[in-house]
Amino acid sequence: MDGRRFSPSVARNRDPILKVFREHVCTDGHVLEVASGTGEHGAYLTEALTDLHWTYSDIDPESRTSQAAWRKSAAHDRLSGPLILDASKSDWGEAERPGHWDAIVSVNMIHIAPFEAALGLIAGAGRLLKPGGRLFLYGPFARDGDIAPSNAAFSENLQARDPAWGVRDLDRQIVPMAEEVGLSVAGILEMPANNFSVVFRRQA
């Protein structure tokens, strides 16, 4: 009733993501979330990690409305935004704060967006993260040409909806792009439901 939206998938994956954040991403500092969706991840992680400052962003107006509602309902002032941000663009507007971001986060975005969004996301992380900062990706991926049957079926379904969508190959597509912009793999962790948490580190 207050404008907040809820996603069943967030309820399933928020605790595993919190564990990854604690161990591999960051527990304090400034986080930019690209394509923040309902806004639940930022609200949940900042409630658990009390030194984390989180900025929402999205291209979708309805999602930004939900994110604003989560920010308003929070019992703290460490949620900001939502910013209007199109990951595929070379200029992210208000998010263009080089050296400000300790982490850039994108959960379940790059498979339901044109590949230009993945390109732009990784380029933006290379451009804007602090030295040593982390890019955190969560979602389904193929691994060097191999893909779980459920992810293959999911990718076919996505491509039937939009040929520009689909599950990406982590080793053949994402990692090489990251390395080109000065990001190195800091961790690849298997997650529930054939998803992965992927952590890149910006080199100093």
Side-chain angles (χ1 to χ4, degrees), residues 36-47:
S36 302
T38 61
E40 293 167 89
H41 281 302
Y44 189 74
L45 291 174
T46 53
E47 184 178 353

Side-chain angles (χ1 to χ4, degrees), residues 21-162:
F21 248 75
R22 281 195 169 117
E23 296 177 3
H24 301 279
V25 184
C26 61
T27 57
D28 58 18
H30 294 275
V31 176
L32 171 65
E33 184 181 17
V34 176
S36 302
T38 61
E40 293 167 89
H41 281 302
Y44 189 74
L45 291 174
T46 53
E47 184 178 353
L49 304 173
T50 57
D51 292 318
L52 209 60
H53 297 260
W54 195 280
T55 299
Y56 292 126
S57 74
D58 218 291
I59 196 173
D60 176 57
E62 290 186 3
S63 295
R64 292 198 302 272
T65 297
S66 179
Q67 295 154 27
W70 278 101
R71 185 199 67 221
K72 184 177 179 180
S73 70
H76 58 76
D77 62 356
R78 291 175 288 106
L79 289 172
S80 302
L83 308 180
I84 300 173
L85 192 156
D86 181 347
S88 68
K89 303 299 184 184
S90 59
D91 187 326
W92 286 1
E94 292 182 69
E96 289 285 329
R97 306 173 195 171
H100 177 76
W101 304 110
D102 295 277
I104 293 176
V105 171
S106 186
V107 176
N108 285 323
M109 185 272 281
I110 62 174
H111 56 282
I112 52 172
F115 194 63
E116 289 76 13
L119 286 166
L121 173 67
I122 291 167
R127 185 174 69 248
L128 300 177
L129 281 172
K130 289 180 179 178
R134 302 298 202 265
L135 169 64
F136 172 76
L137 306 179
Y138 181 92
F141 292 96
R143 294 298 313 272
D144 199 20
D146 293 328
I147 186 169
S150 62
N151 285 345
F154 180 44
S155 189
E156 289 179 6
N157 178 269
L158 290 173
Q159 290 179 321
R161 293 162 58 189
D162 188 324

